[in-house]
DNA sequence: GCCTAACCGAGACGGTACGTCACGTCTTTTA
DNA sequence: TAAAAGACGTGACGTACCGTCTCGGTTAGGC
C-alpha cells in the first residue's frame, strides 16, 4: 500500500531477524503531518527534525524510505481523506460529491497544508511525482472518467464531448481554487456551481435574445 | 522590472565606484534557464553551480538577489513568453488566443521546464509566491476577467454567471493539462475545444431527445 | 582464564537452559586474529564485521564481552605465544631466551599484527589497559625481575644496579624494535647482542688506551 | 612544516580568493590539546566536538586535514617540547640532556597526555604513523646516532658496538618508562642512571672477584 | 520423551559521529 | 567600488557503527 517497506516485502523469505515495527511508520508519518499542521515551513522539515519529532533514529526512516521525497509520497497519501462513495443517483450528484470532496480537501485539516506544500515539493522530483501520479491520481481519474463515459452512453452528456476533456473541465477549476491559489476562497456551493455551469455552458441558450 | 537591483536601486547616490554590469544579470538568469532546459533536476541547482555556470562569483548573485527563491522569481519571469495581444474581435477569439498562449507555454522550450519545476519550488516559499502572484499572475487574471465582464454586459455570457468562476472554468483545465499533468498531451485544437465546450456546456440542449 | 563468560560464571545457579557454546568463543577470537593477519586495518574491525566473519550474531559477542576493548584483551592473550621456560643455566642464558621470545613475538604471524595494532588500541582505554597490564604484563615482568635479583645476589650483576632499571635496560630496546618501530629489522642475533652489550657496557674497559 | 594546508601549498598559483586563516589552525590544535589536558578521553574527541571547542566549522578542519588521524599528527607535533640543544661537552653530557628531555616530556603538561593517548591512536593507521615516523622521529634519531658515531670515532664507545643498537639501548628504556608504562615513575636522576649504567654495563669489571 | 529456559542468527532500534555539500557571509586580490 | 575566488560558521545530508532489543528457531538439561 505504501512505498515504505518495499525491500522487505519479498515473499518466500521466512522473515528473519526482528521484524520492522509498523507502529513506527505511522509515528513518522503522523509526526510529519503534525509538524505541517503546526505551520512549520517545508524548508525546515529536515530528516533530522522529523526523526527527532517521531522519537526515532534517522536510520529507521532511511530503512523504510529511500529519501525525503519518497517519504513525502506516503505523507501525502496519509493526509488525503478517504475518497467518497459516489451515490450513483445521477451524473450531477456524482460530480457534486466528487468536487465537494476536493473542495473540503483543500479547506482545512492536514490535507490542506500538505496539498499546498508537499505536493509542490514532490513535483520537483519527476521520479517521485510519477510514482504518486500512477498510484494515486490516475486511478481516481479513471474512476470518474468511467462515470462520465457511462453518463454519455445514457445521453446525459453530449455525444461529441471528449470525456477526458470533460473530466479536466470539471476538476481543473476546483484544483485551481483548492490547491494552486493561495488563500483562494472556497464557498460552500462551489462544487454545485462548477458542475452546473460546466454542464449547462456559459452562453445563454440559443434563440434567447441578448439582453 | 526585475526583483534584482533592489539594493542598488536607490536614486540619489551618484553611483560611486565600479558600476554593476547589467550583462551579468542576464548571464546568470540565462545560465539557470540553460541548465533547466538541459534537464538538470531542480535539486541540483545549487547557488554554487549557478555561479560556476555563469562564470560569476557567488557574491555577485547575492548582491542582486536576496536568495535562491528571489532569483527564481526573475528566472520564471524571463522564461515566460510575452503575453498575447487580445484581438478583441469577439469573446471567443480573445479566449482562444489566451488559452492557446497558455498551451504553447507548456509545450516546449524554456517556459515548459520552468513551469513544471520552478513554479512548484516557489510555492514552497509563501513570501516569494505571493510576490510572484501579485506582480505577474494577478494582473493577467484581472485583464481576462475584465474581458469576461464586458462580454457579460454585452450579453455574450449568461447574466447569472460569476465571471471569476468563469475565468477558472476556462483556465483551470488548461493549467491542469499544461502544468500539472506530467507528459500530458496538448493537442493543437485544445484551446478551441476548451473554450467551445465550456461556453456551450456539456449537456445536450434542452428539448432534444436523448439518443 | 579469559575475560569472557564473566556474567555466566556465577556459581549457585544450577545452570538452567542451553549452555553457552565454548566453541563460539574460539571462533570469534580466531576470526579477529585471521582478519588482523590478513592485514585488515584496525579501524575496519567493527563488531558487525567481526560477527559476520565468525558467522555469529552480535548479541553472542556482547553476551561474552562487555565491549570491543574487553574482547581485544582476550584477542591479545590468544595471540601471544606461550611464555618460554627459562633454562636457569646462567643469567645470560635466561635473558637471551626471554629476549629471543620477545623478538620472535614481533616477527611474524598473529602476534606481530596484534602487538602493533591492538596493543595501541587498548592503550586508549585506561581501564582495559590496566586490566591487561595487571594480569599479563606485570607477572611476566615480576618473574624476570626476580631472576635478575637472584643473579645480583650471586654477584653476576653489580650490587649498585637497580634490578627494575636493569629489566627496562634489557627489554626496552627489544620492545622498541619489535613493537614500536614500523618495519624495524630484527636480526637473528639481536637478543644476544642486546644482552651482551648491556651487561658489558658501551664504554671500553678502563685503562685501555683510546685508539 | 605541518601536514595541514598541503593542497594549498602549491607555488605558482598567485593565491586567489580569501586566504586560509593561520590563526584557525592554531586554534584547532590548541583546542584539541586543551581537551586532552583536561582529561577528556580520546574516544570522546569527535571531530564535531573539536570543531565546537575551537569555535570552527567542521569543513574548516577538513579543508586542512584529510581526517582525524592527520590532524593528530600535527597535534602531537605541537605538543612536543622544543628539542634540546646538545651541549657537546662530552658524550655523556649529550646523552643525559637528550634522555632528560625525553623524561620531562613524559612527566606532565600537554606532551604527557598526548604521548600516552594520541601516540597509540596514530599507531592504528600505518599510513599516518609512517608519516609521523619519517618527519619527526627519524630525524631526531639520526641526529643522536650521529653523535654516537662521532663518539665512537673518538674512542668513547667501544669500536665493536653498533651505534644504532646503542641508540636503542639508551632510548628504549626511557621510552618504556615515559610513554608505555602507565603511571611509571620517573625519578629525577633517571636519565643519568640509564646513561651511566648502559655505558658501563651491568656486570662487575672483569678481574674483580664476585662478592 | 516432553518442558522450559537460555542460547543462537538475524536484524531492527535510538543514538552518535562520520565526511560531504550547500547556504549566505566574509575577506582577499585584481581591475 | 565591483568582481572572481574561495574561506568561513552553520547545519542537513545519507552512511556506518555502537550496544540493546526483539523475533523465530535451536539445544540442551530436568522431569
Amino acid at each position: 500500500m505504501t512505498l515504505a517497506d518495499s525491500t522487505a516485502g519479498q515473499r518466500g523469505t521466512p522473515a528473519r531477524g526482528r521484524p520492522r515495527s509498523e507502529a513506527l511508520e505511522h509515528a513518522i508519518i503522523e509526526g510529519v503531518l503534525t509538524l505541517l499542521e503546526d505551520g512549520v515551513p517545508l524548508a525546515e522539515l529536515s530528516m533530522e527534525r522529523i526523526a527527532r519529532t517521531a522519537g526515532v533514529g534517522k536510520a529507521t526512516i532511511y530503512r523504510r524510505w529511500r529519501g525525503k521525497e519518497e517519504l513525502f509520497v506516503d505523507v501525502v497519501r496519509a493526509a488525503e481523506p478517504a475518497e467518497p462513495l459516489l451515490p450513483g443517483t445521477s451524473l450531477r450528484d456524482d460530480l457534486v460529491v466528487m468536487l465537494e470532496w476536493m473542495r473540503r480537501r483543500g479547506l482545512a485539516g492536514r490535507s490542506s497544508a500538505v496539498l499546498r506544500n508537499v505536493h509542490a515539493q514532490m513535483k520537483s522530483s519527476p521520479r517521485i511525482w510519477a510514482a504518486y501520479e500512477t498510484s494515486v491520481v490516475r486511478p481516481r481519474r479513471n474512476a470518474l472518467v468511467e462515470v462520465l463515459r457511462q453518463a454519455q452512453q445514457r445521453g446525459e452528456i453530449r455525444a461529441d464531448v471528449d470525456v477526458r476533456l470533460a473530466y479536466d473541465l470539471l476538476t481543473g477549476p476546483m484544483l485551481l481554487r483548492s490547491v494552486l491559489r493561495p488563500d483562494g476562497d472556497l464557498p460552500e456551493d462551489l462544487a454545485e456551481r462548477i458542475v452546473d455551469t460546466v454542464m449547462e455552458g456559459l452562453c445563454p441558450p440559443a434563440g434567447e435574445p441578448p439582453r
Side-chain angles (χ1 to χ4, degrees), chain A:
Chain A
M1 191 68 181
T2 61
L3 281 189
D5 234 353
S6 54
T7 55
Q10 310 132 10
R11 288 286 145 256
T13 35
R16 307 218 293 171
R18 176 174 171 179
R20 285 190 197 157
S21 162
E22 293 183 29
L24 289 178
E25 263 145 73
H26 285 103
I28 293 163
I29 291 175
E30 286 300 312
V32 176
L33 287 172
T34 306
L35 287 171
L36 286 171
E37 285 176 67
D38 292 352
V40 176
L42 193 61
E44 296 181 13
L45 270 194
S46 63
M47 293 299 259
E48 242 127 31
R49 179 163 183 181
I50 291 171
R52 213 179 319 126
T53 302
V56 140
K58 267 200 297 178
T60 298
I61 302 182
Y62 283 105
R63 220 174 273 125
R64 289 167 165 74
W65 295 277
R66 184 175 297 274
K68 205 193 295 200
E69 288 147 340
E70 305 224 8
L71 166 59
F72 281 175
V73 173
D74 283 349
V75 168
V76 170
R77 271 186 190 142
E80 291 204 284
E83 294 199 27
L85 271 178
L86 300 185
T89 48
S90 75
L91 173 61
R92 185 184 179 278
D93 289 351
D94 285 353
L95 294 176
V96 168
V97 164
M98 196 64 182
L99 263 61
E100 176 62 13
W101 173 79
M102 289 177 67
R103 189 185 71 91
R104 287 191 179 283
R105 193 180 57 162
L107 259 184
R110 42 188 49 183
S111 62
S112 174
V114 171
L115 272 180
R116 291 162 188 275
N117 289 317
V118 187
H119 234 244
Q121 188 78 353
M122 277 198 326
K123 284 228 61 173
S124 299
S125 171
R127 201 173 48 83
I128 299 300
W129 180 261
Y132 177 70
E133 216 270 343
T134 302
S135 66
V136 177
V137 179
R138 197 187 304 273
R140 185 188 301 154
R141 181 163 76 234
N142 286 344
L144 198 54
V145 164
E146 185 54 32
V147 166
L148 289 166
R149 200 186 312 275
Q150 291 174 2
Q152 192 175 36
Q153 288 179 344
R154 289 196 308 270
E156 291 186 71
I157 288 183
R158 289 189 352 231
D160 62 330
V161 167
D162 176 1
V163 286
R164 299 199 152 270
L165 181 62
Y167 174 84
D168 292 348
L169 295 178
L170 290 157
T171 58
M174 186 56 94
L175 219 56
L176 181 56
R177 287 247 180 145
S178 64
V179 178
L180 298 182
R181 197 109 83 210
D183 308 324
D185 66 329
L186 298 169
E188 289 198 8
D189 61 346
L190 183 59
E192 290 191 349
R193 283 166 61 195
I194 289 177
V195 171
D196 290 340
T197 314
V198 170
M199 289 181 79
E200 296 173 19
L202 297 174
C203 306
E208 184 170 317
R211 185 168 52 92

